[in-house]
Amino acid sequence: MQRPLVFFTALYMAGVLLGDLTAFKVSVALALAVGCFLVAVAGYIFAWRCNPGVILVLFLLLGLAFSRLSIEESRTPLVDYAGQQVTLLGRLVSGPDLRSDKVFYLCEAREMVKGGERRPVYGQVRLSVKDVEQLYGYGDLLRITGLLARPDPPGNPGAFNYRTYLERQGIWVTLSTTSKNSIEKIGEDGGNPLGRFALWVKQKLSIAATYALPPPHAAVLNGVVFGTQGLIDRETREAFNETGIVHILSVSGLHVGLLLAGLVSLFGILKISPGLTAPLATPVLIFYAIMTGINPAVLRATLMALLFLWARHLGRDQDWPTTLALAALVILLWNPLQIYHPGFQLSFAATWGLLYLSPLLAKFF
């Protein structure tokens, strides 16, 4: 079998989609995957001819099991309190997403206060805060009072389903505050130290751009560098749309490629040995991916860049279909529901088109 990883990834993706379309219980899906794994091990030991087929089925079942597990884990008892005023205690697991009139955060709920009673809860909550003057950071522990809600389903067939969009990111409820007195920082829970430091650096650089440039220019610069688009005014966004370059405002593989090209050029100017390119570029690429929020497009580009760098460093063959498949498999093992993220779909489709269709089109023309 040539390029087996491509087939493994394709079957795993099919399993993820199957897990969302069916009502398999997690226990059943995991039992099937474990059973198939044991058969595959036996096939390897006894050299069964049918074992490659068993391994393909194994990846299908792994996709099914991990998909069902992700869906079940993302469900939260907070949906039972939708439409009610509640007080939540939770930890921020993302930096601020600034808009012109509000700020969005992703909060990991830990405790709820309702009617004087405290009860432990869990689940991710999309937090909407009206006060844009006071910003909170990754790892901050907050007490928030507001309206808990679930997004309404679309009113017309075929319209954008915001509820499903959030659920596929593991978010089942939103919490909206109406005043700055509705939210209070009560402490810090550091979380991942590297993630906290990266988001702190991002925030400081964004603030520096805001002070150094006029607001419209600072908003565009932060959009180009970090992909934060909330403060870009409508006229500027329309101008980027009309000129066909709006994609540079969303951090993607283009930005990772430019960063890597800049690093390689800098290493050349400093006359650094080519053998140090991969070791020196790796932490920079990883830090930038964390700083920009590890969205699927950036993660895909970072993984492919690292694989190509280290393949060259170790003197191994570079095969883009295998690299693309491995990047997709790593992302979907980390979070199977990323398969529904537009950034994942567009990034992999565009990369496949560039690497596969471009040579064919060039030859044709």
Side-chain angles (χ1 to χ4, degrees):
M1 183 189 300
Q2 289 188 338
R3 292 171 174 156
L5 197 57
V6 175
F7 291 96
F8 295 158
T9 302
L11 266 295
Y12 180 84
M13 293 171 69
V16 171
L17 295 173
L18 185 64
D20 188 41
L21 295 173
T22 60
F24 267 93
K25 291 184 177 180
V26 174
S27 57
V28 174
L30 287 173
L32 290 172
V34 171
C36 190
F37 173 75
L38 294 176
V39 173
V41 171
Y44 175 78
I45 295 173
F46 297 106
W48 292 343
R49 290 185 178 181
C50 64
N51 207 46
V54 174
I55 295 176
L56 291 175
V57 174
L58 172 61
F59 274 86
L60 176 72
L61 293 174
L62 285 174
L64 172 64
F66 288 173
S67 175
R68 295 306 306 167
L69 194 60
S70 295
I71 293 170
E72 292 300 323
E73 282 187 342
S74 68
R75 297 184 191 274
T76 169
L78 289 172
V79 296
D80 297 332
Y81 300 91
Q84 302 181 33
Q85 287 281 338
V86 301
T87 298
L88 281 184
L89 278 68
R91 180 176 72 94
L92 295 184
V93 292
S94 75
D97 180 6
L98 280 168
R99 306 297 169 92
S100 59
D101 60 339
K102 64 181 66 175
V103 188
F104 290 103
Y105 299 94
L106 187 59
C107 180
E108 184 183 74
R110 294 184 173 180
E111 189 176 67
M112 183 180 72
V113 180
K114 176 69 176 170
E117 181 184 352
R118 307 170 75 96
R119 64 194 72 179
V121 292
Y122 62 88
Q124 293 191 334
V125 180
R126 182 169 169 81
L127 176 61
S128 172
V129 182
K130 288 288 186 180
D131 182 20
V132 297
E133 296 180 0
Q134 174 66 47
L135 295 179
Y136 302 96
Y138 170 82
D140 287 349
L141 293 174
L142 303 179
R143 180 186 289 111
I144 317 113
T145 300
L147 178 64
L148 197 67
R150 292 192 72 190
D152 294 327
N156 297 311
F160 176 65
N161 194 329
Y162 185 56
R163 175 184 288 187
T164 301
Y165 170 76
L166 287 182
E167 287 177 358
R168 286 173 171 170
Q169 297 181 56
I171 305 169
W172 286 69
V173 290
T174 63
L175 184 66
S176 303
T177 66
T178 55
S179 69
K180 61 182 181 181
N181 297 324
S182 301
I183 183 168
E184 176 189 0
K185 180 178 175 180
I186 58 176
E188 292 184 1
D189 181 356
N192 185 294
L194 180 60
R196 188 176 182 86
F197 177 66
L199 292 176
W200 178 82
V201 171
K202 174 185 175 181
Q203 185 174 343
K204 291 299 182 183
L205 292 175
S206 297
I207 293 173
T210 303
Y211 281 116
L213 298 171
H217 298 169
V220 171
L221 178 61
N222 286 326
V224 171
V225 177
F226 301 118
T228 52
Q229 303 181 32
L231 296 179
I232 299 176
D233 60 75
R234 185 174 180 179
E235 292 183 0
T236 302
R237 188 185 298 276
E238 287 297 324
F240 275 86
N241 276 324
E242 291 172 3
T243 52
I245 56 173
V246 70
H247 59 278
I248 71 171
L249 298 178
S250 299
V251 177
S252 63
L254 171 67
H255 298 70
V256 177
L258 291 173
L259 175 61
L260 180 58
L263 288 173
V264 172
S265 299
L266 178 63
F267 295 160
I269 293 172
L270 298 177
K271 300 187 183 304
I272 294 175
S273 170
L276 295 176
T277 299
L280 292 177
T282 295
V284 178
L285 292 174
I286 293 174
F287 189 79
Y288 181 71
I290 296 173
M291 192 164 55
T292 54
I294 320 183
N295 70 63
V298 170
L299 188 54
R300 190 272 311 158
T302 302
L303 287 171
M304 291 190 69
L306 292 176
L307 288 169
F308 277 119
L309 277 174
W310 283 98
R312 183 177 180 182
H313 181 79
L314 299 173
R316 304 294 297 271
D317 292 335
Q318 301 174 9
D319 182 60
W320 72 259
T322 300
T323 304
L324 189 64
L326 181 57
L329 185 59
V330 169
I331 293 173
L332 295 178
L333 284 171
W334 170 55
N335 183 0
L337 298 183
Q338 288 283 3
I339 197 170
Y340 296 105
H341 197 293
F344 178 92
Q345 298 170 4
L346 292 172
S347 181
F348 280 90
T351 305
W352 178 84
L354 286 170
L355 296 174
Y356 181 77
L357 294 180
S358 293
L360 297 180
L361 293 174
K363 188 180 295 183
F364 177 79
F365 290 108

